[in-house]
Amino acid sequence: MMSQKQQKNSSTAKASHRPVFIVDGARTPFLKVRGGPGPFSPVDLAVQCGRPLLLRQGFSPEAFDQVILGCVNVLADEMNPARLAALRLGMGESMRAYTVQINCGSGMQSIDSAYRSIREGSRELVLAGGTEALSHAPMQLKPDAVEWLAGLRNAGSLKEQARQLTGLRPEFFKPVVALKQGLTDPIVGMSMGETAELLAHLFSVSRHEADQYAVISHQRLAEAQTAGTLNDEITSAISPEGEVFSKDDGVRGDTSVEALAKLDPVFEAPFGQVTAGNSSQVTDGASWVILASEAAVQKHKLVPRAMIVDSEWSALDPQIMGLAPVLCMTDILQRNQLQLEQVDLWEINEAFAVQVLACLQAWEDADFCKSVLGLDQAVGSLNRSVLNVDGGAISLGHPVGASGNRIVLHLVNAMQRLGVKRGIASECIGGGQAGAMLIEAL
């Protein structure tokens, strides 16, 4: 726990900050990647959910001070997606917009950047979002193929060109999937799935436990879809061909532990715990939230839905990147003098089932809490009935630039629906980082 001096300083700092409100938000359906480019680019997705969101506001789109958009895999013809989306959304030529990239935390980073600028008084009204079209991830030539093409291009005479052509190899025509490269940490040389396997080993998370968790994620999303729980959160996306996408399409409500047990491990065959069935799905999607100061709320007669109370970011060894949410969530709990049970709802992005379970077990481990978190005892056990109540990335997908935004938006919606006050959203970030936010419903 914090000392009395730390508590006093923290309280004084908070008292000097302006309140920051979440007044509205929307997202597209999350669409599973199925072997080829999907119907929407990252900017297309941002516009698809941004247009109806802005149309239902009682003020002009040009009233915003700024647009911030998270996006990881930016397409070559969509540089600075935030600016392109702002212009296509009719927000005016003078609208300032920038794109943020912090891997899986990009969508939350956009909210955090907006939150801090409003809190400190430099902005009043900000549109913050995240977008990703993983189905459009480019294919890249291997370095030796690029070197060969450079040699051919620089060959001056026909003789030199002919000599260079003799070096052509069939493997040059086999490109590298950029997405696969992007999901491998260049510092430790491990894929994100391999880091999850390491956590499963360190915290003894079994394959059965991971599959059980995955089944619950699918069941909860299927129940939410049947009940229409997500209808107010999702705005339909319409392709250029007129096809309408109205719901997350990766859910498998009828899956079972027995069915998932038949899948082979992806990263550590044959004995690994991580499979395609208990990992997040590769998807396309976008999400936006509108953040406002008290002055903007009064000026535009807005109805605040929630308030951002606190945010935190953390970092650790990239080999155990999935454990980083424990650090920033614990910091928020301590700074706000909260116990686990005093937080009504939790959204922890489901990168991998074993990763989420390892975070929960870390809080229950007294040695870990003492040696890593500097606490006197274990944090405790999180009630799983209030964690990801409508499913998560395992069942609905993980468009990396958008997910951090979605979990904040959904946390606000879920708290209002269930009539509870306080929630925390967090996600692990490739490279060994994590972000978390404490939200209070109004």
Side-chain angles (χ1 to χ4, degrees), residues 12-252:
T12 301
K14 286 184 180 180
S16 66
H17 291 153
R18 302 196 308 168
V20 180
F21 302 102
I22 295 175
V23 298
D24 205 351
R27 71 174 177 92
T28 67
F30 281 10
L31 307 177
K32 187 175 181 179
V33 173
R34 289 182 164 85
F40 309 105
S41 72
V43 173
D44 290 337
L45 289 162
V47 172
Q48 288 276 352
C49 71
R51 185 172 289 124
L53 174 63
L54 296 185
L55 283 172
R56 67 178 180 234
Q57 306 307 315
F59 55 86
S60 167
E62 296 183 359
F64 284 93
D65 296 314
Q66 195 164 53
V67 175
I68 309 172
L69 183 64
C71 187
V72 178
N73 292 275
V74 177
L75 303 186
D77 55 355
E78 289 188 349
M79 288 297 156
N80 193 7
R83 173 65 173 171
L84 298 179
L87 290 172
R88 286 179 57 183
L89 287 169
M91 302 181 76
E93 295 178 357
S94 62
M95 182 58 60
R96 294 160 292 184
Y98 67 92
T99 304
V100 294
Q101 205 277 52
I102 183 175
N103 288 342
C104 313
S106 301
M108 183 179 286
Q109 179 66 68
S110 71
I111 298 176
D112 189 65
S113 298
Y115 159 63
R116 293 175 187 275
S117 67
I118 294 173
R119 186 185 68 176
E120 304 302 330
S122 63
R123 300 287 183 269
E124 303 292 339
L125 189 64
V126 180
L127 180 64
T131 188
E132 203 72 62
L134 293 178
S135 66
H136 287 258
M139 308 287 280
Q140 299 178 177
L141 293 175
K142 295 179 180 178
D144 53 356
V146 174
E147 186 177 342
W148 178 82
L149 283 170
L152 183 62
R153 183 175 61 250
N154 294 327
S157 64
L158 289 175
K159 184 177 181 180
E160 290 175 343
Q161 292 176 8
R163 185 183 301 112
Q164 184 66 15
L165 284 171
T166 62
L168 179 63
R169 300 288 181 267
E171 59 265 25
F172 289 174
F173 297 99
K174 186 178 181 181
V176 176
V177 181
L179 177 60
K180 185 176 180 180
Q181 278 190 307
L183 293 176
T184 299
D185 188 276
I187 302 300
V188 298
M190 296 171 67
S191 70
M192 298 300 99
E194 288 170 332
T195 68
E197 287 284 11
L198 180 54
L199 290 184
H201 171 71
L202 292 174
F203 288 90
S204 301
V205 180
S206 70
R207 167 71 182 274
H208 183 72
E209 289 174 312
D211 288 345
Q212 277 185 320
Y213 183 94
V215 168
I216 292 172
S217 180
H218 281 283
Q219 290 175 341
R220 288 182 176 180
L221 178 57
E223 291 169 3
Q225 288 183 340
T226 300
T229 299
L230 305 178
N231 290 352
D232 292 337
E233 179 175 309
I234 297 176
T235 181
S236 296
I238 305 172
S239 74
E241 294 72 34
E243 186 175 1
V244 178
F245 301 88
S246 59
K247 64 180 182 179
D248 307 311
D249 65 359
V251 62
R252 300 185 299 277

Side-chain angles (χ1 to χ4, degrees), residues 207 259-270 272-278:
R207 167 71 182 274
L260 293 183
K262 297 176 182 178
L263 300 176
D264 293 329
V266 176
F267 304 99
E268 296 288 349
Q273 317 306 322
V274 181
T275 71
N278 58 38

Side-chain angles (χ1 to χ4, degrees), residues 302-383:
L302 305 176
V303 180
R305 301 181 59 199
M307 181 170 66
I308 301 178
V309 178
D310 201 357
S311 71
E312 187 58 81
W313 300 84
S314 59
L316 42 60
D317 186 340
Q319 294 183 87
I320 51 173
M321 69 94 193
L323 206 58
V326 176
L327 278 63
C328 52
M329 290 190 294
T330 302
D331 283 345
I332 284 181
L333 290 172
Q334 287 191 279
R335 190 157 57 231
N336 293 274
Q337 303 177 54
L338 295 171
Q339 304 297 320
L340 290 180
E341 60 272 14
Q342 292 177 293
V343 179
D344 302 302
L345 285 182
W346 298 78
E347 286 286 325
I348 302 178
N349 192 46
E350 297 172 351
F352 304 93
V354 298
Q355 170 263 322
V356 177
L357 294 172
C359 287
L360 301 186
Q361 290 194 25
W363 267 337
E364 298 173 2
D365 189 313
D367 289 338
F368 176 90
C369 291
K370 289 179 182 179
S371 61
V372 178
L373 302 178
L375 305 177
D376 296 331
Q377 58 188 9
V379 173
S381 298
L382 179 64
N383 181 357

